[in-house]
Amino acid sequence: MNLKDNILAELLHSENRYLSGSQLAKKFNVSRTAIWKCIEQLKAEGCEIGAVTNRGYILLSMPDIFSSNYMETLLKDCQTKWNVQFLNEVDSTNTYAKRLASQGAPAGTVIVADKQTAGKGRLGKSFHSPSGGLYFSIILRPDLPLKDMMSVTACTAAAIHQALSDNHITAKIKWVNDLFLNGKKICGILSEGSFNAELLSMDFLVIGIGINIHPDPNLPEELKPIVTDIQTETGQILRRCDLIAQILKHLETLLDGLEKHTYLPIYTKNSCTLGHRVHVKAEHGECDALAVGFAEDAGLIVRLDDGTQEIIRTGTAQIID
């Protein structure tokens, strides 16, 4: 790291204590003038830094920038060893993460990008990913039966819901992988993995998350009736590092209780699918049914018109009333 980044790291780790210019100069073996110049650079980049004579500097706030030092501070109390890597632009964070996972990247590796040029959604759809949104993928290596892998996606949706709730944002979860705010989509989740046919298990699972943070002036016309963003709906401007950290902390807790399905009450309580008639497209064909519940693995339980029930684990369920 250069001197400016080192100073930012010291301010982030100071836990709201003042750091004197002389302390910083001695630590990095530079002049106090060099420290002052770096402080001014940080201010120019949007950091709010207080300065008091005979006390020094204190970081009051920082802008929505990607900072490994800041992320490390936010995640310091986690049990999981999260390794968060930031990119300015990538074709797809999932594609990038899958490549790293196939090369042996450990569970807990997180790839974050400011922009995706070829973002991916479920069932081969594209995911609109302009600069300024929140796009990241998490590498997991869960020791679970294949039949329970859907529950990891649902667990992730519950973690995102909890993180948004921390910011007083009440979202709804649409089975199996979307979050909605005021009836429009703000978040999509895409789970992809590598299957070990010999062991009948997953080598790795990559969970991709895309969240619309700010308004997009170039949002395609066809998406405007169905897509929105957090700032438009709530007036809030969330910092992406903060939201990532909140999601990872909740995900860590919920994954720890995955075998006991501790995510399921959150997922069920905040569902916008249950209680509605849905048009189901699954392996066995298409039909209309009433969404009545979730199985322990997050499969959607539907009641058909003849009164029988089925569990849908693949495909889609579009709300029709």
Side-chain angles (χ1 to χ4, degrees):
M1 291 188 293
N2 57 33
L3 179 60
K4 183 187 69 175
D5 288 337
N6 280 323
I7 292 173
L8 178 59
E10 289 296 311
L11 291 170
L12 284 168
H13 288 88
S14 67
E15 297 181 344
N16 295 320
R17 292 180 292 106
Y18 282 88
L19 295 177
S20 71
S22 58
Q23 281 180 293
L24 293 168
K26 183 177 180 180
K27 181 177 181 66
F28 298 116
N29 194 30
V30 297
S31 68
R32 291 182 62 179
T33 300
I35 298 297
W36 177 82
K37 287 181 178 179
C38 288
I39 293 292
E40 292 303 305
Q41 289 176 24
L42 290 170
K43 288 181 178 179
E45 292 173 3
C47 292
E48 184 182 0
I49 299 174
V52 176
T53 304
N54 296 325
R55 296 189 69 184
Y57 304 106
I58 187 170
L59 182 66
L60 302 174
S61 67
M62 62 183 293
D64 181 24
I65 57 175
F66 289 153
S67 168
S68 297
N69 293 319
Y70 184 47
M71 183 60 69
E72 180 182 328
T73 301
L74 294 173
L75 297 173
K76 65 180 180 180
D77 295 327
C78 289
Q79 297 299 312
T80 304
K81 188 176 180 180
W82 299 111
N83 174 21
V84 182
Q85 303 176 29
F86 295 106
L87 304 172
N88 289 327
E89 182 179 303
V90 71
D91 54 352
S92 159
T93 58
N94 261 32
T95 299
Y96 192 96
K98 286 193 296 180
R99 183 163 61 248
L100 290 184
S102 66
Q103 296 169 354
T109 301
V110 182
I111 304 301
V112 184
D114 177 64
K115 177 182 179 181
Q116 294 183 120
T117 57
K120 298 192 296 183
R122 286 187 74 222
L123 305 176
K125 296 180 180 179
S126 62
F127 188 90
H128 185 62
S129 315
S131 177
L134 177 53
Y135 319 110
F136 66 108
S137 295
I138 306 165
I139 297 176
L140 301 174
R141 297 185 183 274
D143 183 17
L144 291 170
L146 288 177
K147 65 181 181 65
D148 289 338
M149 288 301 165
M150 179 187 289
S151 63
V152 181
T153 302
C155 183
T156 303
I160 296 169
H161 179 276
Q162 293 298 86
L164 293 174
S165 294
D166 291 342
N167 293 284
H168 310 290
I169 298 171
T170 304
K172 290 293 185 180
I173 302 171
K174 178 180 176 292
W175 185 86
V176 60
N177 67 324
D178 293 331
L179 278 87
F180 278 59
L181 193 56
N182 297 333
K184 292 185 177 183
K185 181 176 175 178
I186 60 163
C187 172
I189 303 168
L190 175 64
S191 301
E192 299 182 287
S194 176
F195 172 65
N196 188 316
E198 183 177 354
L199 299 177
L200 296 178
S201 63
M202 297 293 292
D203 285 331
F204 62 80
L205 189 65
V206 169
I207 305 292
I209 299 168
I211 303 177
N212 301 326
I213 302 290
H214 307 294
D216 175 16
N218 299 312
L219 185 69
E221 286 297 323
E222 65 271 18
L223 295 181
K224 289 181 179 180
I226 57 176
V227 171
T228 189
D229 62 88
I230 290 173
Q231 184 179 348
T232 295
E233 298 300 327
T234 70
Q236 292 194 58
I237 301 176
L238 302 183
R239 286 189 304 203
R240 290 172 292 178
C241 280
D242 291 347
L243 187 54
I244 292 169
Q246 290 169 321
I247 292 170
L248 293 179
K249 288 177 181 179
H250 283 294
L251 183 61
E252 177 183 79
T253 300
L254 292 175
L255 286 176
D256 189 55
L258 192 62
E259 292 186 0
K260 296 180 180 179
H261 315 291
T262 54
Y263 73 91
L264 201 53
I266 301 168
Y267 193 81
T268 302
K269 180 181 178 181
N270 298 287
S271 170
C272 63
T273 303
L274 296 186
H276 291 277
R277 284 185 62 78
V278 293
H279 182 70
V280 175
K281 292 183 180 180
E283 290 182 351
H284 66 273
E286 301 183 27
C287 66
D288 292 345
L290 179 67
V292 296
F294 297 112
E296 287 187 338
D297 63 356
L300 179 64
I301 303 172
V302 298
R303 183 183 301 135
L304 304 179
D305 291 341
D306 63 5
T308 60
Q309 292 188 353
E310 290 188 10
I311 300 178
I312 309 300
R313 293 188 171 88
T314 60
T316 62
Q318 186 68 36
I319 297 173
I320 56 178
D321 70 14

